[in-house]
Amino acid sequence: MNIHAGNMSAGVNNMQPPLLEVRDLTVEFATRRGTVQAVKQVDLTLAKGETLGIVGESGSGKSVTSYAVMRILDRAGRIAEGTISFGGVDIGTASEGQVRALRGREMSMIFQNPRAALNPIRKVGKQIEDVLIEHVQAQPGDAKEKAIEVLKAVRIARPEERYHAYPFELSGGMCQRIVIALALACRPQLLIADEPTTGLDVTTQKAVMDLVVELTRERNMSTILITHDLGLAAAYCDRVMVMEKGKVVETANAEAVFRAPQHAYTRKLMRATPRKGVTLRDLLPEDAAPAAPAPTAPVEGAGTPLLIVENLVKEYPRQTPTSGMAGLFGIKGAAADPFRAVDGISFSVARGESLGLVGESGCGKSTTSMMLMRLVDPTSGRIVFKGEELSAIPAKRFAGSKWRSRIQLVFQDPTDSLNPRYTAARAIADPLMQMGSGLSGKALRAKVEELAGLVGLPVHLLDRFPHQLSGGQKARVGIARAIAPDPDLVILDEPTAALDVSVQAVVLNLLQDLKQRLGMSYIFVSHDLEVVRMLCDRVIVMRTGRIVEEGATEAIMAAPKAEYTRELLASIPHPPI
Amino acid sequence: MLKQIVRRLGTAVPSLIGVVIVTFLLTRVLPGDTAAYFAGPAATPQAIAEIKTKLGLDQRLPVQFLAYVKDLATGNLGMSLTTGQPVFEDIRARLPASAELTLLGLLLSVAVSVPLGILAAVRQGSWIDHLCRVVATAGVSLPVFFTGLLLVYVFYYKLGWAPAPMGRLDFIYSAPDTVTGFYLIDSLIAGDVELFRAAWSQIWLPAVTLAIFSLAPIARMTRASMLSVLASDFVRTARASGLKPSKVVMGYAFRNALLPVITTLGMVFSFLLGANVLVEKVFAWPGIGSYAIEALITSDYAPVQGFVLAMAILYVLLNLAIDILYGLVDPRVRIEA
């Protein structure tokens, strides 16, 4: 599934000077607590036509390195030491005008979160024109024509129409194509892709990466791919550089890094990456104490259905384009069919079972989980929980019902889902206080400490505020809060999507242990099939509001029946091991 | 676009009805007996009762209200007991005076504060940032009547660069034919440059006084808004694409930073229009603010009601204009409307 051109390009270009050469690069940031070195003595060479992957977790300095190369560090950052030589130009000492002329014309960058990377109030075609005109690749007269050509080059359907679109009118994948178009408009020699597919669906990711590879090969460009995803780096890079805490720990041929990782950190990263044929335990570091088998609580009536969903439908009114006088007087045109976000799905969850809900953005998995959480009322269909028809209770009044504490949610973003003014202890105690547990004072504190112990959150962190906690710690607070009212069912909405792989590994194992210990059922919403495989007994694959395929996880992963499931599985980039 | 405007105007109707009711009630419950005031200190109870009957003040409140609404519908805002003129005429003569002064003050203020705010954001922490902070703080912390008097003292009394602060025009000139009601514009329409100069020499001091006062909110908002936009991802993209700093700051960042600035402008404008009574007093400016205050002091209902109503309508129109501006600046707003 990946074609390596690495050996070839390295052989051919050995004689030429490298396009980019970084020596001893140290980047410092002035912060309130003094100077912090974000990048320490980094060496890097990149030959013409070569693709280099920079891999590391958050805080490893991988993005800062690339910002230094483009010299777009923000105000607080500066290159403290070292040299950056790009095509013979010393980036460190060149004038701002010189570097500006290189940016966009000779070296370009694409970013994560493509929608935010585009000017929200300027037509995308105009934004491309701006770059073309800036670098004298077009005159105001022919700029539009050339911009449309550039849009065509990144395989945008109906480019003449898209030229007039604003970023908010385009999908995430489409926005990323525009960002690529912007970067490649002037045919630069170097492309730096900073997490270009984070937040995109796995099939969109594949389409975007394939496009980048195709265009850069075609033009014999050099590429730096910055990613936290080892699989992605393995699939698309010739060489890989692993960074940890601002330092390069290992640089080698892509295959070599993955087959025989030299550095302990690389090995740890490798282990933590979800991949074929491993269990959750395998993700944890080798030296981690062998997890004591969690005392398994005998699940009451295990296997009997806890939740039954029948023919669940959620419709949203479509925005009807009314115009002219009719619109003026509020007369609507012929009523358009409402949009069916969830289109008649039925399934059940047994006690003690974990069910995976998989699909791409817009497939209806989030709407489904919102309805199960009883935050949104279904248009029709039944939700039966422990024999009680929950869909009969309106969402508005559900918070006051006794069922609220039975179904809880762990949110996707561990930061945004915590009140910034609540300490960890207060956040965990919140559901206990809201749902009338009757606990207060010391008893409440003791319960919170017990919960913190369950999720492995050190007690001394309980009095900290969210901004004083790491991503993994915040995730633990979110989980502790969800299990506080001792629920029967926990809905996990991509709980690890925002975490580094090593933290993800720990959190996933924690979730698994908690489930066994407390005898809960899980509904695990995710787009990451490998994670779902490890955590879930059964999986449901959704697309456009319908269930495409349903069955035991291992069976579906091994032999998917639906064409769509096969496509999803094929899009996952894997490390070559 | 037309649909949007009509719909926006529609949403203003309930608030206007509310304003009509509230102004009516408010002026009725204010202390002070109008009839007694106008009958004079030596009036007999009989004379007072007579005036009451004449003004309709002896009727029950709902009846008075009906009469009031009927008058409003025919454009009759009542008579001012102080000036003896129809309130409608008074407002028509005085509103342009206030509007001209406020607009010019705001224009001067924007011309200084927006560039200052942008520069302060682009060079955050530099001397210009500190200058912005000092100027804004000083401007807003000095009361307008003080700045006004200070400016009069310096520019009229000491330097003699400005004429006496005696209204919109020196008495040797006569007002230009009314087209817009703004002397600066009307005099140019009439092609009378000398008259324009005369009007300008009268207006610039009070306008500067207002400008100094309104510098702070606009400059601070521009700076804060620019700072957050300059830190956003798309500005980084623009820089990484090698766009010129001027293009990045003005073309990309500033247009995005404009929405909160426009909101502030609208608020400052409507605030100044009603609240610049002190400036009008200091410069003997025949504006609407001083008119309303005088009426209020003498318990003269009709002008107060007329003033509040005029302000409400103006406010509705202003908000409409701001909404339309939003739509022009930000395509996302157009969709939601």
Side-chain angles (χ1 to χ4, degrees):
Chain A
M1 57 167 279
N2 60 71
I3 313 116
H4 281 279
N7 296 336
M8 182 202 76
S9 63
V12 171
N13 293 318
N14 261 349
M15 295 301 114
Q16 290 179 9
L19 176 69
L20 176 70
E21 190 163 22
V22 176
R23 288 275 157 264
D24 269 338
L25 177 70
T26 298
V27 179
E28 289 180 351
F29 279 85
T31 70
R32 238 180 274 176
R33 289 179 200 145
T35 311
V36 175
Q37 290 194 339
V39 171
K40 297 163 195 160
Q41 273 104 43
V42 165
D43 290 331
L44 181 166
T45 47
L46 184 67
K48 193 141 181 55
E50 192 186 21
T51 302
L52 171 72
I54 304 184
V55 179
E57 297 188 291
S58 42
S60 63
K62 54 192 195 302
S63 292
V64 174
T65 306
S66 63
Y67 291 176
V69 168
M70 299 276 292
R71 228 172 76 180
I72 52 169
L73 291 165
D74 62 17
R75 201 185 309 269
R78 68 180 191 95
I79 299 170
E81 268 176 65
T83 55
I84 301 166
S85 157
F86 174 80
V89 180
D90 185 351
I91 298 291
T93 56
S95 72
E96 180 57 28
Q98 261 176 302
V99 180
R100 190 158 53 74
L102 292 177
R103 284 186 211 127
R105 187 164 57 90
E106 297 298 332
M107 51 183 180
S108 291
M109 196 156 178
I110 56 182
F111 302 92
Q112 67 174 339
N113 194 358
R115 206 186 304 273
L118 293 169
N119 187 345
I121 60 171
R122 196 162 170 79
K123 288 177 180 172
V124 294
K126 288 278 178 198
Q127 298 189 40
I128 295 171
E129 276 185 22
D130 287 341
V131 177
L132 287 170
I133 291 172
E134 181 71 43
H135 296 296
V136 210
Q137 306 285 313
Q139 305 304 319
D142 63 352
K144 182 172 178 184
E145 207 178 299
K146 291 206 169 155
I148 289 172
E149 253 170 55
V150 171
L151 286 175
K152 262 187 210 151
V154 293
R155 319 267 186 282
I156 286 203
R158 291 175 287 142
E160 290 86 359
E161 219 172 292
R162 301 288 188 229
Y163 172 94
H164 295 286
Y166 291 97
F168 71 94
E169 296 169 327
L170 302 173
S171 69
M174 195 86 84
C175 280
Q176 192 56 290
R177 280 168 198 267
I178 304 283
V179 174
I180 294 170
L182 215 56
L184 298 188
C186 301
R187 300 190 159 256
Q189 299 186 58
L190 169 66
L191 176 72
I192 301 175
D194 185 4
E195 304 266 9
T197 58
T198 307
L200 298 183
D201 284 323
V202 59
T203 47
T204 316
Q205 161 169 300
K206 187 168 181 342
V208 165
M209 283 312 298
D210 287 351
L211 174 71
V212 168
V213 168
E214 194 187 322
L215 291 176
T216 52
R217 292 256 157 83
E218 209 174 82
R219 300 172 183 191
N220 195 26
M221 288 169 57
S222 309
T223 312
I224 296 179
L225 173 66
I226 297 166
T227 179
H228 65 278
D229 186 339
L230 285 168
L232 198 68
Y236 292 100
C237 297
D238 305 324
R239 272 191 311 137
V240 171
M241 183 168 115
V242 183
M243 288 185 74
E244 183 196 16
K245 292 175 189 153
K247 284 190 178 141
V248 177
V249 296
E250 188 165 356
T251 309
N253 192 296
E255 279 196 61
V257 167
F258 295 108
R259 282 198 200 290
Q262 297 298 308
H263 195 273
Y265 179 72
T266 317
R267 280 201 293 275
K268 186 180 148 209
L269 269 187
M270 283 296 302
R271 277 187 74 91
T273 303
R275 57 202 185 276
K276 271 184 200 157
V278 295
T279 64
L280 279 176
R281 291 281 176 256
D282 294 336
L283 299 182
L284 294 174
E286 298 149 73
D287 52 357
T296 313
V299 178
E300 245 179 85
T304 57
L306 176 72
L307 174 81
I308 300 169
V309 173
E310 285 171 12
N311 251 323
L312 201 62
V313 172
K314 180 68 191 175
E315 290 181 341
Y316 288 106
R318 245 183 250 270
Q319 292 209 326
T320 44
T322 46
S323 59
M325 293 305 279
L328 203 83
F329 297 111
I331 301 163
K332 293 237 170 75
D337 287 340
F339 170 67
R340 285 202 159 193
V342 175
D343 194 2
I345 58 170
S346 306
F347 60 89
S348 68
V349 182
R351 280 170 198 272
E353 189 189 30
S354 56
L355 173 72
L357 207 54
V358 179
E360 304 195 316
S361 39
C363 75
K365 58 185 196 296
S366 292
T367 312
T368 305
S369 66
M370 283 303 139
M371 282 192 284
L372 297 182
M373 266 306 283
R374 300 301 298 113
L375 295 171
V376 171
D377 281 323
T379 307
S380 67
R382 281 165 25 110
I383 300 170
V384 181
F385 182 78
K386 281 183 152 181
E388 177 87 13
E389 189 168 339
L390 295 190
S391 37
I393 308 172
K396 269 185 202 163
R397 280 197 280 124
F398 193 79
S401 89
K402 60 173 176 162
W403 296 102
R404 172 72 292 161
S405 62
R406 304 291 89 217
I407 306 176
Q408 288 289 304
L409 180 67
V410 176
F411 297 88
Q412 175 169 5
D413 190 318
T415 308
D416 280 357
S417 58
L418 292 178
N419 185 334
R421 292 179 183 277
Y422 278 2
T423 61
R426 178 71 179 77
I428 297 171
D430 202 46
L432 296 170
M433 293 158 75
Q434 303 293 335
M435 290 176 205
S437 64
L439 294 174
S440 64
K442 279 193 180 143
L444 182 65
R445 179 73 189 188
K447 175 75 182 168
V448 167
E449 286 182 5
E450 184 198 324
L451 287 164
L454 270 178
V455 299
L457 184 73
V459 172
H460 71 269
L461 296 179
L462 277 176
D463 294 314
R464 292 204 183 169
F465 288 94
H467 70 269
Q468 297 165 316
L469 298 171
S470 72
Q473 288 161 349
K474 279 182 277 199
R476 286 172 201 266
V477 174
I479 293 167
R481 179 175 59 180
I483 62 170
D486 201 10
D488 298 307
L489 175 66
V490 177
I491 298 174
L492 303 147
D493 187 4
E494 310 234 14
T496 58
L499 302 175
D500 279 326
V501 277
S502 60
V503 182
Q504 166 175 283
V506 177
V507 170
L508 288 176
N509 273 287
L510 169 69
L511 287 170
Q512 179 80 336
D513 290 348
L514 283 175
K515 187 178 84 107
Q516 277 165 9
R517 194 183 279 193
L518 304 175
M520 299 177 288
S521 302
Y522 282 164
I523 292 180
F524 189 85
V525 182
S526 180
H527 67 272
D528 192 333
L529 281 159
E530 286 297 346
V531 171
V532 168
R533 180 180 61 74
M534 290 185 290
L535 194 68
C536 299
D537 309 316
R538 267 189 322 127
V539 65
I540 288 176
V541 182
M542 284 185 73
R543 186 183 200 187
T544 57
R546 294 192 185 166
I547 294 177
V548 175
E549 192 162 6
E550 180 182 3
T553 316
E554 287 297 342
I556 285 190
M557 296 288 283
K561 286 193 207 70
E563 175 59 32
Y564 178 65
T565 317
R566 275 199 286 274
E567 193 188 320
L568 273 184
L569 284 168
S571 304
I572 306 174
H574 286 287
I577 44 169
Chain B
M1 201 63 173
L2 181 73
K3 190 177 92 187
Q4 192 191 332
I5 294 171
V6 170
R7 193 178 299 167
R8 264 307 270 105
L9 277 175
T11 61
V13 172
S15 41
L16 283 180
I17 293 174
V19 167
V20 169
I21 295 173
V22 168
T23 50
F24 174 79
L25 289 178
L26 206 68
T27 48
R28 268 18 175 219
V29 298
L30 282 177
D33 188 340
T34 320
Y37 178 84
F38 277 93
T44 60
Q46 220 172 353
I48 294 177
E50 227 169 81
I51 293 177
K52 266 196 176 164
T53 317
K54 192 177 143 214
L55 296 175
L57 292 175
D58 55 344
Q59 308 271 8
R60 285 178 34 244
L61 271 187
V63 180
Q64 287 190 37
F65 182 67
L66 271 182
Y68 174 58
V69 173
K70 208 185 278 170
D71 282 347
L72 275 190
T74 55
N76 177 8
L77 293 176
M79 297 289 282
S80 165
L81 301 177
T82 340
T83 62
Q85 298 282 325
V87 171
F88 187 77
E89 290 303 318
D90 277 346
I91 289 179
R92 207 169 64 177
R94 285 168 166 265
L95 192 59
S98 283
E100 183 178 30
L101 177 58
T102 311
L103 273 179
L104 185 66
L106 213 57
L107 211 66
L108 291 175
S109 174
V110 167
V112 176
S113 61
V114 168
L116 201 61
I118 293 174
L119 275 175
V122 173
R123 310 209 187 290
Q124 190 195 355
S126 73
W127 64 269
I128 195 130
D129 191 12
H130 293 299
L131 178 78
C132 173
R133 189 171 301 130
V134 168
V135 167
T137 313
V140 80
S141 48
L142 296 175
V144 275
F145 67 85
F146 178 76
T147 346
L149 288 175
L150 191 73
L151 289 178
V152 170
Y153 177 75
V154 173
F155 290 101
Y156 164 64
Y157 183 71
K158 282 286 176 196
L159 300 173
W161 293 358
M166 298 294 281
R168 300 181 80 181
L169 272 181
D170 199 287
F171 63 89
I172 58 165
Y173 298 100
S174 55
D177 297 336
T178 305
V179 182
T180 59
F182 291 7
Y183 285 4
L184 289 180
I185 296 174
D186 286 352
S187 62
L188 285 183
I189 290 173
D192 191 341
V193 179
E194 200 194 339
L195 190 63
F196 175 81
R197 270 209 203 108
W200 172 256
S201 69
Q202 293 287 344
I203 202 173
W204 74 267
L205 263 193
V208 166
T209 310
L210 280 181
I212 289 174
F213 183 67
S214 58
L215 273 179
I218 303 170
R220 300 299 286 173
M221 187 50 81
T222 308
R223 177 179 178 273
S225 180
M226 277 300 283
L227 276 180
S228 74
V229 173
L230 282 174
S232 62
D233 285 1
F234 71 87
V235 168
R236 186 182 57 190
T237 311
R239 286 174 61 204
S241 313
L243 297 189
K244 274 194 219 55
S246 58
K247 178 93 186 166
V248 174
V249 171
M250 296 311 296
Y252 277 62
F254 181 59
R255 256 198 80 189
N256 274 282
L258 210 53
L259 282 188
V261 177
I262 291 175
T263 313
T264 314
L265 267 182
M267 273 159 48
V268 169
F269 178 72
S270 51
F271 174 74
L272 284 185
L273 194 60
N276 57 16
V277 182
L278 290 172
V279 178
E280 290 180 2
K281 285 278 176 203
V282 169
F283 291 92
W285 200 261
I288 194 165
S290 45
Y291 175 68
I293 287 288
E294 275 156 25
L296 195 66
I297 291 168
T298 56
S299 305
D300 191 356
Y301 298 155
V304 176
Q305 282 168 343
F307 169 76
V308 176
L309 211 58
M311 282 301 166
I313 291 168
L314 211 69
Y315 200 71
V316 166
L317 292 179
L318 188 74
N319 274 315
L320 177 70
I322 287 173
D323 279 2
I324 294 169
L325 266 181
Y326 273 2
L328 291 179
V329 171
D330 192 336
R332 286 165 297 184
V333 178
R334 271 174 245 165
I335 296 299
E336 284 156 21

